Amino acid sequence: MAAIEVPGPEADWETAPEYQGGKRNPALQHSAWEIAGGSYRIVAGLQPPLGALAARLRLVVERTWEDLGCVDVAMFRIDRTDFALSQFEGGTPQYTTVWLDRASHDVEAAINTLLGGLGIGREALAFTGTTDTGFEHLNGWTGA
């Protein structure tokens, strides 16, 4: 059987993850998190770092990227509720974003389920809310 040679990229092509107007590269690459993230919505932020939260639940943290840069993500389920925790590399302010699957309607119950599983109280919340309702800073968190 003859080997098929695949040509290299064209010299003027951008890398697949970046978009620059009249993009010459026919591929626009998305990260796995960008695709999966569409099934979730932000509902809260936690003050503890992702590493400590993931260690508590023995989660595997995956490193991926999106247009804002590198992001660490752990996706999991507690009591039939799907969550994701994420934290941007070097992001300011530092907090862990709590994502809830869009199929879950009772956000407060979901947050309570997550906090219970993590063994922490509401004092660990930096903020709650959604992009639709707006966000409320909690527990003296200033975003710094």
Side-chain angles (χ1 to χ4, degrees):
M1 176 176 277
I4 305 293
E5 287 193 38
V6 177
E10 301 297 324
D12 64 344
W13 283 4
E14 300 90 350
T15 60
E18 63 185 302
Y19 181 80
Q20 298 176 356
K23 191 163 181 59
R24 293 169 291 272
N25 185 341
L28 177 59
Q29 184 177 7
H30 299 285
S31 74
W33 171 239
E34 286 176 303
I35 301 300
S39 299
Y40 292 83
R41 66 191 186 281
I42 297 173
V43 296
L46 290 170
Q47 295 180 60
L50 176 58
L53 300 169
R56 161 69 177 176
L57 298 175
R58 296 185 180 229
L59 300 172
V60 173
V61 175
E62 301 174 78
R63 169 136 304 191
T64 186
W65 48 268
E66 61 175 53
D67 56 354
L68 297 176
C70 290
V71 61
D72 293 327
V73 178
M75 299 171 68
F76 57 99
R77 178 177 285 180
I78 298 176
D79 292 338
R80 293 180 281 180
T81 302
D82 291 315
F83 295 95
L85 299 176
S86 70
Q87 190 168 39
F88 280 100
E89 177 182 67
T92 302
Q94 286 290 327
Y95 59 86
T96 300
T97 305
V98 177
W99 301 76
L100 179 63
D101 69 54
R102 293 187 183 278
S104 295
H105 299 292
D106 191 340
V107 172
E108 282 303 310
I111 289 173
N112 289 335
T113 295
L114 175 63
L115 294 174
L118 290 169
I120 56 178
R122 294 188 73 82
E123 69 277 359
L125 289 167
F127 63 87
T128 60
T130 68
T131 55
D132 293 333
T133 64
F135 297 100
E136 176 185 2
H137 290 128
L138 302 171
N139 303 313
W141 188 74
T142 61

